[in-house]
Amino acid sequence: APASLADKIIVLDGDDDGEEESLSASCSVSTSIQPQAEVFQPKVQQPVASPITQWPCVSARREPHVLQAENERLFGEFVDHCLADTTDCPEVLDYLKTRHAKASPEYLCSVEFRNTLGHCLSRAQAHRSKTFVYINELCTVLTQHAAKKRQVTTQVEPDSSSAASDNTALPPSGLPENREDVTAKDEADKKKKRASRRQIAYLENLLKMYNDEIHRLQKSELSLEDLDAEDSLFIQESKLKRKLMKIYEKLCELKGCSTLTGRVIEHRITYSSTRYPEINRRIERFINGPEAQQTPPDYQDILQQMLRANERHNLCLSRKQLNQMAKEAFREVGTRIQDRRHLDLVYNFGSHLTDPYKPATDPALLDASLLRKLRSNREVAVSRLEEVISKYANKQEDTEELERRKRQDSKSEKEGKKE
């Protein structure tokens, strides 16, 4: 990268262990990787022209109309490639074209859109079975960069008296007094935009370097001694992924777009199983909160939410009714969360090392006995899970009932002593 970029580098916070250097050091200092230690230190690389299949990070200094024409051509190629795989549902391509039409013009003629198109087109050509995956990825990116609607403001024509007073307030030259300030501010904004484009180009290039290094670490063979090492390849890969996420968040901040990736795990779960809207809203807000995202709710959590909703809105529900409703809600919420995680795993699980795998080569499709065994194991797993849930839900209910009886007995004893 040019030396002038060193002053424009975004400095990110390091890891807790203090080993992570700032992004400026990774751009300005060139280090070598020792053969015995597979520690990754990104080197400065001059941007080189490469074909689309290698997902290039092209220069941000190309003319906008040239990029726009090239992006239109790539988008047309992507749509033509997907026509054969979307004959059963042509509305998918209609939706993609609608997202493309509603995207901001600045993004459509940007280097980032060209890189995204090249990535999706090359992957779709290499893996025809994943065409819909890359269509969805492109739709998500276009939605994030949709053109924002602006309110149209109408200016009221000033009357003659106000116009005369405004004319008298102007200096003899007829220009506003702060004209120089406005010009200086515009120049500062232009410099800031140019610096932001350079930062975006640098961070995109750095993002690709980290991605390539993660792929290299994943391909490495590990021995038992390597697994026990304090700085094993797994630890290095984890650190690189954390840095990768910081770079991605910084890119989203510079581009003014959301950090959401469109994964299933980010989708909101709706709940409306009870006939009390107050309880439904309370449970839905709880299961979609940050605490439930980190730790799945248990039966006691659902019961507490119902108790608070019953007390706040005066629903006058008995404890027995609440326990029964909480048991049903806990089972349904657990199933919904499990289904969401499973679907997210299906969509995102895997590695670039398993890209050549095809579902048609599944051994269970060729071996009937293996298929029966797998299905029976799944049925056993589901039934045992239901037994465990029912067992601990009943235990919780019995424990609460015993505590309630003890409190009633102690209260009656105190009243008998007073009498």
Side-chain angles (χ1 to χ4, degrees):
S4 59
L5 290 180
D7 299 333
K8 306 297 182 182
I9 293 171
I10 305 299
V11 179
L12 302 178
D13 296 335
D15 290 340
D16 296 336
D17 55 3
E19 296 179 357
E20 184 178 328
E21 298 180 355
S22 63
L23 296 181
S24 60
S26 67
C27 177
S28 59
V29 180
S30 173
T31 57
S32 59
I33 301 178
Q34 299 296 334
Q36 63 273 15
E38 298 289 339
V39 179
F40 170 64
Q41 295 178 350
K43 299 180 180 180
V44 179
Q45 295 181 353
Q46 296 292 340
V48 294
S50 57
I52 293 176
T53 55
Q54 296 180 1
W55 187 41
C57 183
V58 298
S59 173
R61 297 182 180 179
R62 300 183 65 175
E63 294 296 332
H65 65 277
V66 177
L67 281 174
Q68 184 176 6
E70 189 173 358
N71 291 345
E72 291 292 341
R73 180 181 61 80
L74 286 176
F75 183 75
E77 290 182 8
F78 182 79
V79 173
D80 293 340
H81 174 75
C82 298
L83 279 175
D85 299 326
T86 57
T87 53
D88 297 336
C89 46
E91 61 273 7
V92 174
L93 288 183
D94 295 338
Y95 178 76
L96 175 62
K97 294 177 182 178
T98 303
R99 293 291 92 195
H100 180 266
K102 292 183 179 181
S104 63
E106 293 82 3
Y107 178 69
L108 293 180
C109 60
S110 64
V111 177
E112 179 197 359
F113 185 50
R114 181 199 182 281
N115 293 336
T116 304
L117 272 176
H119 165 76
C120 293
L121 179 58
S122 60
R123 289 302 184 92
Q125 290 173 347
H127 311 285
R128 298 192 67 90
S129 61
K130 298 183 179 180
T131 301
F132 287 93
V133 175
Y134 300 115
I135 293 176
N136 180 48
E137 179 179 345
L138 192 56
C139 287
T140 302
V141 174
L142 291 173
T143 303
Q144 291 178 348
H145 296 85
K148 298 180 180 179
K149 296 182 179 180
R150 298 181 179 178
Q151 296 181 353
V152 180
T153 57
T154 57
Q155 296 182 355
V156 181
E157 292 293 335
D159 54 6
S160 59
S161 60
S162 60
S165 61
D166 293 341
N167 291 334
T168 56
L170 290 175
S173 60
L175 298 176
E177 295 180 354
N178 58 349
R179 181 71 176 183
E180 296 180 356
D181 296 339
V182 173
T183 305
K185 185 178 180 180
D186 292 341
E187 293 179 356
D189 292 341
K190 291 180 181 179
K191 291 181 180 178
K192 186 177 180 180
K193 289 181 180 179
R194 286 196 297 269
S196 180
R197 285 197 295 269
R198 287 196 297 268
Q199 292 170 356
I200 290 173
Y202 165 70
L203 291 178
E204 285 181 345
N205 189 32
L206 194 62
L207 200 68
K208 182 180 182 300
M209 293 167 58
Y210 276 88
N211 184 65
D212 294 342
E213 181 63 19
I214 289 174
H215 285 185
R216 188 188 68 80
L217 294 177
Q218 290 176 345
K219 293 179 181 178
S220 302
E221 296 290 340
L222 297 179
S223 62
L224 295 178
E225 291 76 11
D226 296 333
L227 293 175
D228 294 335
E230 295 181 358
D231 195 20
S232 64
L233 297 185
F234 284 129
I235 297 177
Q236 296 179 32
E237 181 183 345
S238 177
K239 291 180 180 179
L240 289 177
K241 287 182 178 179
R242 287 200 298 269
K243 294 178 183 179
L244 202 72
M245 289 306 301
K246 289 184 179 181
I247 297 173
Y248 171 73
E249 292 172 358
K250 192 63 182 180
L251 276 173
C252 293
E253 179 183 346
L254 291 174
K255 296 176 182 178
C257 60
S258 174
T259 57
L260 296 179
T261 59
R263 290 178 56 182
V264 180
I265 200 69
E266 297 172 347
H267 293 179
R268 185 178 181 86
I269 296 178
T270 58
Y271 181 81
S272 58
S273 296
T274 68
R275 61 190 184 94
Y276 299 96
E278 298 84 1
I279 295 179
N280 293 339
R281 288 195 299 268
R282 184 100 187 185
I283 293 178
E284 181 176 340
R285 185 166 59 249
F286 174 72
I287 62 179
N288 290 289
E291 182 179 352
Q293 295 287 343
Q294 299 294 331
T295 305
D298 55 10
Y299 170 78
Q300 187 64 27
D301 295 332
I302 301 297
L303 180 60
Q304 288 298 323
Q305 298 300 321
M306 287 191 172
L307 290 173
R308 293 171 185 173
N310 182 46
E311 181 180 357
R312 180 173 182 179
H313 299 284
N314 297 323
L315 301 179
C316 301
L317 295 173
S318 65
R319 187 57 180 263
K320 186 176 181 180
Q321 288 177 309
L322 290 174
N323 289 336
Q324 184 64 27
M325 291 169 58
K327 187 185 299 184
E328 296 174 358
F330 171 62
R331 286 175 178 159
E332 181 176 354
V333 167
T335 303
R336 298 279 293 278
I337 293 176
Q338 184 181 18
D339 292 342
R340 185 177 66 173
R341 287 186 173 182
H342 175 72
L343 195 59
D344 182 76
L345 180 66
V346 170
Y347 286 159
N348 298 281
F349 177 76
S351 171
H352 65 283
L353 301 176
T354 59
D355 284 343
Y357 168 77
K358 296 181 180 179
T361 59
D362 189 352
L365 299 178
L366 304 176
D367 191 347
S369 61
L370 177 60
L371 184 60
R372 287 194 299 269
K373 184 63 176 178
L374 292 175
R375 288 180 177 176
S376 63
N377 287 345
R378 177 174 177 79
E379 293 176 359
V380 172
V382 172
S383 62
R384 289 183 178 178
L385 182 62
E386 289 289 339
E387 291 176 2
V388 171
I389 293 176
S390 301
K391 174 183 176 181
Y392 285 98
N394 293 332
K395 279 187 176 182
Q396 183 72 28
E397 187 176 353
D398 295 341
T399 303
E400 292 178 355
E401 184 66 20
L402 290 175
E403 292 179 354
R404 187 179 64 83
R405 289 180 180 178
K406 288 180 180 180
R407 288 195 298 268
Q408 289 181 352
D409 294 341
S410 60
K411 186 176 180 181
S412 60
E413 289 178 0
K414 290 181 181 179
E415 291 178 354
K417 290 179 180 180
K418 290 181 180 179
E419 292 177 356

